[in-house]
Amino acid sequence: MAPMIYTLYGFAIFFFIFWCGMWLLHLIAIVYGKYRLHKKIIPEPTDEPYPGVSILKPLMGVDPHLVSNLETFFTLNYPMYEILFCIEDEKDPAIDVVNALIEKYPKVSTSVFVGGSLVGVNPKINNMNKAYEASSYDLILISDSGIRMKEDTLLDMVNHMTEKTGLIHQMPFTCDRNGFAATLEKIYFGTAQSRIYLCADFVRVNCHTGMSTLMRKAVLEEHGGLKTFGCYLAEDFFIAKCFIDRGWKIGISSHPALQNSGLCDVNSFQARLTRWAKLRLAMVPLVIIFEPLTECMVIGACAAWAFSLLFLWEPLVFYLVHILVWFLCDWILLSIVQNGTLPFNKFDFIIGWLFRECSAPYLFLLAVLDPTIKWRNRVFKLAWGGVAQELKPRIKC
């Protein structure tokens, strides 16, 4: 009986410490987010011109927001840059969209690369590799098709690229859109995702997502170029790891990445979250133990049991207070990341927040039970360490 009691108390102490750690993350994210995000950087006078930037835009298909998203890259307030559009299929209608914008903005340096190249299993790397090899400048910006830029975002990213910094990325967020799915996306990226992202940047841990990333081409070349990462589906994680391993700093810009994909529904969003969870499980196996405990409902239940055992507190009251305070912290953090009026009211936030928090453990369980990854019309299997293998690969002529 005694060993069983010691075991129970051991678990209770573990949950108590983990619960306290989660509140520390809340505090760091709120304070650091207020300090780091949406800061206007005034460049110091210098005789050296701003470095040129090659922007890689991998495209596939056309959604309702593609034209407006791409147009924001033609109107950037930056002295010297080029846009390299990467389109794998020569029949892709995105080619017509790109050509129309090139005709509208003839003064912007642009190139279109059609066909891609087979350098690995990662479709995004295959699509971008030709453009990368033809890029003219020392700084490379990889930007997904669904990203919308403000006029000064590129300038902000370059200003954060100090002598010891090799990679600057934008923290994922979303544009203001209508509908429950859009509300759900904004809540997730402005709370759960932002909390981890800001804390990781604060303690200098790799939490890089590659939807909008500025990096030094010379460092990639030392590692063999962009094609070296074609064997991974989570190429963004391993690119950042490459920079860190070589002694370079990485960091976030003060502008969050404004995702504005035309595809916005609950099922697609949840499939995306499940896919990301599968990638994390393959790259960092300990995620299977600790990630569920970072969710409000799970750690709250564990902490309620721990406090009832250690301090004889009423578990139900503790659990409800825990959820309420977590909810308030998330509202504060989301308001900081938004940096303005939210496009929904408090009632919509309550419904979206509860739906997100209650569905998160279920989505993680799905990721554990089915490790295969479906990406558009292709299926991949991951080995430990993140190396991917495509199941039933397409036949190349």
Side-chain angles (χ1 to χ4, degrees), residues 63-310:
D63 68 44
H65 296 157
L66 181 64
V67 175
S68 63
N69 289 340
L70 294 184
E71 191 164 13
T72 63
F73 287 82
F74 285 86
T75 57
L76 291 171
N77 181 18
Y78 193 79
M80 186 168 58
Y81 68 95
E82 62 178 354
I83 311 175
L84 310 179
F85 294 99
C86 317
I87 304 171
E88 189 175 20
D89 189 348
E90 61 183 10
K91 297 181 180 180
D92 196 316
I95 296 176
D96 295 331
V97 171
V98 169
N99 288 335
L101 287 170
I102 291 175
E103 184 177 351
K104 184 177 179 180
Y105 298 94
K107 293 183 179 181
V108 178
S109 176
T110 56
S111 299
V112 181
F113 296 83
V114 179
S117 56
L118 186 59
V119 295
V121 297
N122 188 308
K124 184 177 178 180
I125 297 293
N126 289 339
N127 196 9
M128 294 189 299
N129 191 61
K130 283 185 178 180
Y132 167 81
E133 292 181 344
S135 58
S136 304
Y137 298 122
D138 296 331
L139 293 180
I140 300 290
L141 173 65
I142 295 178
S143 178
D144 288 353
S145 62
I147 296 297
R148 187 178 185 86
M149 295 282 265
K150 295 181 179 179
E151 288 186 356
D152 59 343
T153 297
L154 182 56
L155 187 66
D156 177 81
M157 297 180 78
V158 173
N159 280 329
H160 281 89
M161 187 71 78
T162 64
E163 291 184 359
K164 296 182 179 180
T165 302
L167 183 150
I168 292 294
H169 50 114
Q170 290 185 274
M171 186 180 76
F173 196 46
T174 64
C175 288
D176 294 347
R177 293 174 291 178
N178 298 322
F180 178 72
T183 298
L184 188 62
E185 284 190 357
K186 187 172 284 287
I187 289 172
Y188 169 74
F189 285 107
T191 59
Q193 176 81 354
S194 293
R195 182 168 57 250
I196 299 300
Y197 220 89
L198 288 167
C199 290
D201 188 67
F202 177 75
V203 300
R204 302 302 179 189
V205 172
N206 184 6
C207 191
H208 168 236
T209 61
M211 61 183 63
S212 182
T213 304
L214 182 71
M215 65 192 83
R216 297 183 184 275
K217 184 178 181 180
V219 181
L220 290 176
E221 288 297 297
E222 291 174 3
H223 200 67
L226 193 62
K227 63 181 179 292
T228 305
F229 304 94
C231 61
Y232 306 108
L233 284 186
E235 81 289 338
D236 44 10
F237 175 87
F238 291 99
I239 288 175
K241 184 177 182 297
C242 163
F243 277 79
I244 294 172
D245 291 345
R246 291 176 178 272
W248 290 93
K249 294 181 180 179
I250 69 172
I252 62 172
S253 70
S254 66
H255 291 199
L258 298 178
Q259 300 175 81
N260 190 39
S261 172
L263 179 62
C264 185
D265 62 78
V266 175
N267 289 335
S268 298
F269 174 63
Q270 291 187 326
R272 190 181 181 194
L273 296 184
T274 304
R275 184 174 71 246
W276 286 352
K278 292 176 182 180
L279 291 171
R280 292 192 297 272
L281 284 167
M283 294 183 297
V284 188
L286 286 178
V287 162
I288 198 171
I289 298 174
F290 293 107
E291 182 164 320
L293 294 178
T294 64
E295 299 293 347
C296 173
M297 302 303 176
V298 177
I299 189 58
C302 294
W305 169 79
F307 272 75
S308 68
L309 180 64
L310 297 173

Side-chain angles (χ1 to χ4, degrees), residues 9 17 30 35 40 119 151 169 173 216-217 243 247 269 274 317 324 328 332 340 350 353 367 387 389-390:
Y9 272 92
I17 295 174
I30 290 173
Y35 159 77
K40 287 288 185 181
V119 295
E151 288 186 356
H169 50 114
F173 196 46
R216 297 183 184 275
K217 184 178 181 180
F243 277 79
F269 174 63
T274 304
V317 174
L324 175 60
L328 294 174
I332 294 171
I350 292 172
W353 185 86
V387 176
Q389 177 184 3
E390 185 174 1

